[in-house]
Amino acid sequence: MATDWHDLIAPPALPGLFARAAMRRQVTGKTLPSLGLRCTLSADADNLQRYRALCGFADGTRLPVTYPHVLAFALQMKLLTDRRFPFPLLGLVHLENRIRLLRPLGGLGPFTVSVHGDKLQAHPKGAQFSLITRLQDQLGLLWEGDSGILCRDIRLDGEPPESSQTESSQTESSPPDEFRLRELDRWTAPANIGRRYARLSGDYNPIHLSAASARLFGFPRAIAHGLWLKARSLAALESQLPPAGYAVEVRFHQPVRLPAELHLLASAAAPSGRLELLGEGQRLHMSGSWQPL
């Protein structure tokens, strides 16, 4: 199905989109709309500097590999709250995230940022779809993000596909020496990290902001943003990754309840590798890998 692209002259305002998300509670269909949104955007230098500091990225002339998600957040919100989108935003679960970095992200822009939905399929706990985000410049595609998202309030016909990334494949077999994991970094995720990340990213999901707001959605404490966990981990891996020409994917397992002590395990610097983010009692919160394109 061809994407029906809508070009915006400016990013949408977030307050109205949050209000729309709060009012929407019902599934309205079983197919994704053909709608796609595009907008020309540039990074804000002050926001970028504070993002680097919060996530642990070193200063430099290139955007951090996870920063395009921040650039695109308002477009993603507008797409997911559009009346044609069938699933209510509140309650969606971010299962996994894959980034492809084709060329170095030099400068602040301007970039053409686009978002659309794709790959709706059955899942053992509901239905899963991909939120596809792309960043382009005058030479073409620079960066692509694929966020796998679960809607638990719907069932689709057909068998769920087997996961390409399972815990058994990571734990039951002995990996080659170059893929053996060693502790690379450890840090504390403070109780207010959700609010601090929200101020930079625009993502004010109540489950991340405070224990009181998280309890409204069944969590005893606020939980960390998955994309902050990925960004903080890739910042620690920055010296092991090439400037471009690779893909990095992660799967989110158990949520990180704040505050938390976390430690990052990773294989040695190489074109391909693995990572795991562990918490108290060696609880697995995130696992992933990187490989050349």
Side-chain angles (χ1 to χ4, degrees), residues 266-285:
S267 53
S272 299
R274 299 191 304 128
L275 64 96
E276 289 183 355
L277 186 64
L278 305 179
E280 183 180 357
Q282 300 298 296
R283 179 174 296 174
L284 180 65
H285 293 295

Side-chain angles (χ1 to χ4, degrees), residues 202-277:
D203 186 356
Y204 283 89
N205 189 323
I207 64 175
H208 303 306
L209 302 181
S210 69
S213 59
R215 280 195 290 269
L216 298 175
F217 297 88
F219 295 96
R221 303 202 301 269
I223 64 174
H225 289 81
L227 287 177
W228 177 76
L229 296 173
K230 183 174 183 178
R232 183 65 181 79
S233 298
L234 294 186
L237 276 164
E238 198 169 18
S239 63
Q240 296 187 205
L241 298 173
Y246 68 94
V248 57
E249 57 187 85
V250 300
R251 185 168 186 84
F252 303 111
H253 299 276
Q254 300 180 67
V256 174
R257 296 177 181 176
L258 300 171
E261 296 290 331
L262 300 168
H263 56 282
L264 176 68
L265 308 182
S267 53
S272 299
R274 299 191 304 128
L275 64 96
E276 289 183 355
L277 186 64

